[in-house]
């Protein structure tokens, strides 16, 4: 059975309520499936929205109106460290390895981006790129791009490898881009950015969604900086969440309402997001897709998340209540918890309980506190050489894959380029272009009688063309046998059709013959019945022998026999009985 859990962070009031779950706990652990349960928590934490990051080993919480980050160990269940920074932190995000050996990205009040390598302690920062504080950060699944949104309404797209590189171009070199500068800026919003999220894909077709105080939600292709769709909303989206298939977005409003934004609501033959006809025309969010809260006391929806299956939505509100929504029915489902303090952050954890879980290759027991050193920061004009005091601290959970050095063991060949591409999230562009070019230039006629080598996927010609010829001959014979069998079946179908036609004609002829015979018999019986009635009347009227003789003669003439009165009377009775039986038979 799968188990789903999530972590929440709150903003404790100055005077806790009397009915508060725990007056000194700021971070809570919750079980969602199979049954909602409030578990343990961490004390001494006060976190604003977008200021919580979670890894498998640690939790990072930027404190309200302070230039410190609290680090909590999930393994030991306590606070591990309090890390100071030169500026107040307004947003955090985790990049790289989710097992803890990654990079913590922090957005400052002055508009800078700080990067902290958790296993080395190296700390780097960018110049002041935003004019105001950075309100939200988002890292794409490949950890190659970083998006930062600010109160100045701008969104910067950064290259994480470039920010972490030891080699930085000189500021005086005009041929190189400005050191530690964003790749591009997305500036279509007209007010502060409230939230940024990215899709679940690692390819170049992945998307990003931004919400702003100008009551709009924009879908971006952040790789190129292209605006794909603009949605007009009735209120400010305070938080956003994307469904697992990247087909819809959910936004939380200030009144606690949840808005469904369906990217593919209009059926088209092409991808709606990449339809140029919709890129320049904003779309109005449908009022039918608004899910009202159960009451007016919930307050603003400060955080939102979708479960693993995508059928349940969870929101944290200003009143401290955590609500679940039924995605299929589009309405409020139930109240999960009441923390009696504003729920500012909600982070869904990966589900557990799979039959064959993947063990992490690295385990981080303790983080390395950040330190700013010129040799570690990668100052301008560095040659790219890693400093000697650059150390990585982590524990390997399994043996390293070392090359085989024994002479009695067979060397394992490295994987081919194609095998590597199969295990990668997407195929390289060069390989796709090469395959399309070969497919476009392929001519079946030129290869019919041409003996050529057949390459394998790893680039070697390990298939002998002489082994292919017998297979081609066998295929030709099979095709000929199939053609002969097809002709035989068609011939049998024609014979069957002719037989059924003849049977139908014979049955029709028999039916007509029987029908004509039945009509003749009925006519004869009616004549006999009429003759018998005439003879009987003569007998009743005359009563003498002469008249009887005349009646007998009439009967003899009608019936064709020379019987007397008794014979005529008996024949009339029998004819009447036969006619009645024939009529009953005809009726049946």
């Amino acid at each position: 059975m799968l188990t789903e859990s999530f972590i929440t962070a709150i903003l404790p009031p100055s005077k806790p309520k009397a009915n508060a779950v725990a007056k000194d706990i700021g971070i809570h652990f919750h079980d969602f499936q199979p049954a909602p349960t409030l578990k343990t928590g961490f004390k001494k934490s006060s976190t604003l929205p977008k200021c919580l990051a979670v890894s498998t080993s640690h939790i990072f919480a930027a404190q309200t109106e302070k230039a410190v980050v609290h680090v909590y160990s999930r393994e030991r269940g306590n606070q591990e460290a309090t890390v100071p920074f030169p500026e107040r932190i307004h947003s955090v995000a985790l990049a790289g390895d989710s097992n803890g050996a990654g990079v913590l990205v922090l957005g400052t009040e002055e508009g800078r981006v700080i990067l902290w390598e958790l296993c080395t302690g190296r700390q780097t920062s960018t110049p002041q790129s935003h004019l105001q504080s950075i309100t939200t950060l988002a890292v794409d699944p490949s950890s190659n791009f970083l998006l930062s949104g600010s109160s100045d309404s701008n969104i910067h797209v950064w290259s994480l490898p470039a920010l972490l590189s030891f080699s930085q171009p000189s500021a005086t070199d005009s041929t190189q881009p400005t050191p530690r500068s964003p790749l591009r800026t997305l500036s279509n919003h007209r007010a502060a950015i409230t939230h940024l999220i990215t899709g679940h894909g690692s390819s170049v077709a992945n998307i990003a969604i931004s919400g702003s105080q100008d009551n709009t939600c924009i879908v971006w292709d952040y790789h190129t900086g292209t605006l794909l769709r603009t949605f007009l909303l009735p209120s400010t989206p305070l938080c956003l969440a994307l469904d697992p298939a990247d087909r819809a977005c959910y936004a939380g409003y200030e009144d606690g309402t949840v808005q469904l934004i369906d990217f593919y609501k209009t059926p088209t033959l092409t991808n709606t997001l990449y339809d140029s006809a919709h890129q320049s025309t904003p779309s109005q969010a449908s009022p039918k897709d608004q899910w009202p809260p159960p009451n007016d006391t919930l307050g603003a929806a400060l955080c939102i998340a979708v479960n693993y299956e995508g059928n349940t939505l969870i929101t944290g509100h200003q009143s401290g209540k955590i609500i679940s929504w039924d995605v299929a029915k589009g309405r409020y489902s139930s109240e999960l918890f009441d923390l009696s303090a504003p729920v500012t952050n909600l982070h869904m954890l990966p589900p557990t309980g799979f039959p064959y879980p993947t063990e992490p290759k690295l385990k981080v027991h303790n983080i390395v506190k950040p330190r700013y050193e010129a040799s570690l920061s990668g100052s301008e004009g560095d040659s790219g050489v890693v400093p000697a005091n650059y150390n990585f601290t982590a524990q390997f959970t399994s043996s390293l894959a070392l090359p085989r050095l024994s002479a009695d063991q067979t060397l394992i060949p490295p994987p081919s380029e194609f095998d590597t591409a199969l295990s990668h999230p997407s195929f390289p562009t060069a390989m796709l272009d090469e395959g399309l070019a070969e497919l476009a230039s392929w001519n079946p006629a030129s290869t019919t009688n041409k003996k050529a080598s057949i390459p394998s996927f790893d680039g070697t010609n390990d298939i002998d063309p002489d082994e292919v010829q017998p297979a081609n001959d066998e295929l030709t014979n099979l095709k000929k046998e199939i053609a002969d069998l097809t002709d035989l079946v068609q011939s049998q179908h024609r014979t069957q059709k002719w037989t059924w036609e003849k049977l139908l004609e014979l049955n029709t002829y028999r039916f007509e013959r029987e029908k004509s015979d039945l009509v003749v018999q009925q006519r004869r019986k009616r004549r006999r019945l009429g003759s018998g009635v005439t003879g009987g009347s003569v007998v009743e009227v005359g009563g003498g022998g002469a008249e009887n003789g005349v009646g007998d003669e009439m009967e003899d003439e009608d019936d064709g026999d020379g019987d007397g009165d008794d014979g005529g009377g008996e024949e009339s009775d029998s004819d009447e009985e036969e006619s009645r039986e024939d009529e009953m038979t005809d009726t049946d």
Side-chain angles (χ1 to χ4, degrees):
M1 177 183 295
L2 295 182
T3 301
E4 284 189 279
S5 304
F6 60 91
I7 298 176
T8 58
I10 64 174
L11 183 63
S14 56
K15 294 182 179 180
K17 297 181 181 180
N19 59 347
V21 177
K23 298 181 181 180
D24 55 348
I25 293 181
I27 298 177
H28 298 266
F29 282 81
H30 309 265
D31 276 345
F32 176 61
Q33 296 288 354
T37 306
L38 181 60
K39 300 174 67 177
T40 59
F42 294 110
K43 300 180 180 180
K44 299 179 181 179
S45 180
S46 177
T47 309
L48 289 174
K50 289 81 177 178
C51 290
L52 184 74
V54 180
S55 69
T56 57
S57 59
H58 291 82
I59 298 176
F60 307 90
Q63 299 304 296
T64 305
E65 299 301 328
K66 294 181 180 180
V68 298
V69 173
H70 287 183
V71 182
Y72 301 92
S73 174
R74 296 179 58 184
E75 182 181 4
R76 293 184 296 271
N78 60 0
Q79 182 176 347
E80 181 177 322
T82 300
V83 181
F85 288 93
E87 301 176 23
R88 292 178 179 178
I89 308 300
H90 283 202
S91 58
V92 298
L94 192 64
D97 191 359
S98 61
N99 296 320
V103 178
L104 186 67
V105 186
L106 306 100
T108 68
E109 186 178 26
E110 301 298 329
R112 293 182 176 86
V113 176
I114 298 177
L115 296 97
W116 169 25
E117 295 183 7
L118 300 175
C119 292
T120 65
R122 180 190 177 205
Q123 175 184 325
T124 60
S125 65
T126 65
Q128 185 178 1
S129 55
H130 290 282
L131 300 178
Q132 300 181 32
S133 63
I134 297 177
T135 56
T136 177
L137 295 168
V139 180
D140 76 328
S142 65
S143 293
N144 289 324
F145 295 94
L146 168 68
L147 284 78
S148 61
S150 171
S151 298
D152 62 3
S153 76
N154 290 328
I155 301 173
H156 290 334
V157 181
W158 308 80
S159 172
L160 271 176
L163 293 178
L164 296 172
S165 175
F166 283 98
S167 177
Q168 297 293 331
S170 176
T172 59
D173 189 358
S174 60
T175 61
Q176 298 293 331
T178 305
R180 303 189 187 283
S181 60
L183 299 175
R184 61 189 60 89
T185 300
L186 312 177
S187 57
N188 289 75
H189 285 292
R190 294 297 178 264
I193 307 299
T194 57
H195 203 180
L196 276 173
I197 55 175
T198 61
H200 299 86
S202 299
S203 66
V204 295
N206 197 27
I207 59 175
I209 301 96
S210 62
S212 172
Q213 291 182 0
D214 59 4
N215 296 352
T216 61
C217 182
I218 299 180
V219 183
W220 305 90
D221 181 0
Y222 59 89
H223 296 89
T224 60
T226 305
L227 186 151
L228 301 179
R229 292 290 299 276
T230 301
F231 294 93
L232 304 179
L233 306 179
S235 182
T236 300
L238 300 181
C239 51
L240 300 174
L242 200 62
D243 83 317
D246 294 351
R247 295 186 57 87
C249 177
Y250 305 95
Y253 292 156
E254 294 178 348
D255 60 351
T257 303
V258 173
Q259 175 74 58
L260 168 64
I261 305 173
D262 192 350
F263 301 150
Y264 301 92
K265 189 172 185 178
T266 303
T268 58
L269 297 178
T270 59
N271 191 333
T272 308
L273 291 179
Y274 293 90
D275 190 354
S276 58
H278 296 85
Q279 293 180 1
S280 58
T281 304
S283 302
Q284 185 72 42
S286 175
K288 297 181 180 179
D289 294 333
Q290 293 185 20
W291 305 346
N295 52 64
D296 297 335
T297 62
L298 280 181
L302 301 179
C303 51
I304 189 171
V306 186
N307 72 330
Y308 177 74
E309 296 178 344
N311 57 3
T312 303
L313 195 69
I314 304 175
T315 55
H317 294 264
Q318 182 73 29
S319 62
K321 294 182 179 181
I322 302 175
I323 302 299
S324 67
W325 307 78
D326 191 326
V327 174
K329 297 180 180 179
R331 64 185 184 184
Y332 161 82
S333 178
S334 63
E335 178 181 330
L336 300 179
F337 306 99
D338 187 358
L339 303 181
S340 302
V343 182
T344 55
N345 294 270
L346 195 153
H347 181 85
M348 292 295 299
L349 299 176
T352 59
F354 290 102
Y356 303 103
T358 302
E359 295 294 334
K361 298 181 180 180
L362 289 176
K363 183 177 293 186
V364 179
H365 298 284
N366 296 283
I367 54 96
V368 180
K369 290 186 177 182
R371 62 186 187 278
Y372 184 84
E373 297 180 9
S375 59
L376 295 178
S377 62
S379 58
E380 298 179 6
D382 281 350
S383 61
V385 179
V386 179
N389 59 344
Y390 182 75
N391 300 319
F392 184 88
T393 305
Q395 177 187 0
F396 291 101
T397 58
S398 60
S399 301
L400 296 178
L402 299 177
R404 298 179 180 271
L405 303 177
S406 178
D408 58 350
Q409 293 180 346
T410 304
L411 292 177
I412 300 177
S416 63
E417 183 181 0
F418 185 80
D419 293 336
T420 304
L422 281 179
S423 59
H424 196 268
S426 62
F427 281 91
T429 305
M431 183 177 293
L432 292 176
D433 295 341
E434 182 181 357
L436 292 174
E438 292 180 358
L439 183 62
S441 61
W442 180 65
N443 186 8
S446 62
T447 59
T448 303
N449 299 322
K450 185 177 179 180
K451 182 178 180 181
S453 60
I454 301 177
S456 61
F457 288 125
D458 58 357
T460 59
N461 298 330
D462 54 357
I463 301 178
D464 189 0
D466 295 336
E467 297 179 358
V468 180
Q469 186 61 33
N472 293 334
D473 296 340
E474 184 178 358
L475 181 61
T476 303
N477 295 333
L478 290 175
K479 290 182 178 180
K480 183 177 180 181
E481 292 179 4
I482 292 174
D484 296 340
L485 290 175
T486 303
D487 295 339
L488 179 60
V489 170
Q490 293 178 353
S491 176
Q492 291 179 351
H493 285 173
R494 289 192 296 268
T495 303
Q496 184 182 21
K497 182 178 179 181
W498 179 85
T499 303
W500 282 110
E501 291 177 353
K502 294 300 180 182
L503 288 175
L504 181 61
E505 293 178 359
L506 180 60
N507 290 336
T508 304
Y509 172 76
R510 289 179 178 177
F511 175 76
E512 296 294 339
R513 181 65 179 272
E514 293 176 356
K515 183 177 179 181
S516 61
D517 292 344
L518 181 61
V519 172
V520 173
Q521 290 178 4
Q522 290 178 353
R523 289 178 180 176
R524 289 179 179 177
K525 290 179 181 180
R526 284 196 296 269
R527 286 198 301 271
R528 292 176 183 176
L529 180 60
S531 175
V533 172
T534 305
S537 63
V538 173
V539 173
E540 292 178 3
V541 174
E547 286 91 4
N548 292 340
V550 175
D552 293 340
E553 291 176 0
M554 294 175 64
E555 289 176 4
D556 294 340
E557 292 175 359
D558 293 335
D559 298 335
D561 50 45
D563 296 337
D565 297 337
D566 297 334
E570 293 175 358
E571 186 173 355
S572 298
D573 296 336
S574 63
D575 290 341
E576 290 177 359
E577 293 175 359
E578 291 176 1
S579 64
R580 294 192 189 98
E581 292 176 359
D582 294 336
E583 289 175 358
M584 294 177 63
T585 304
D586 295 338
T587 303
D588 296 336

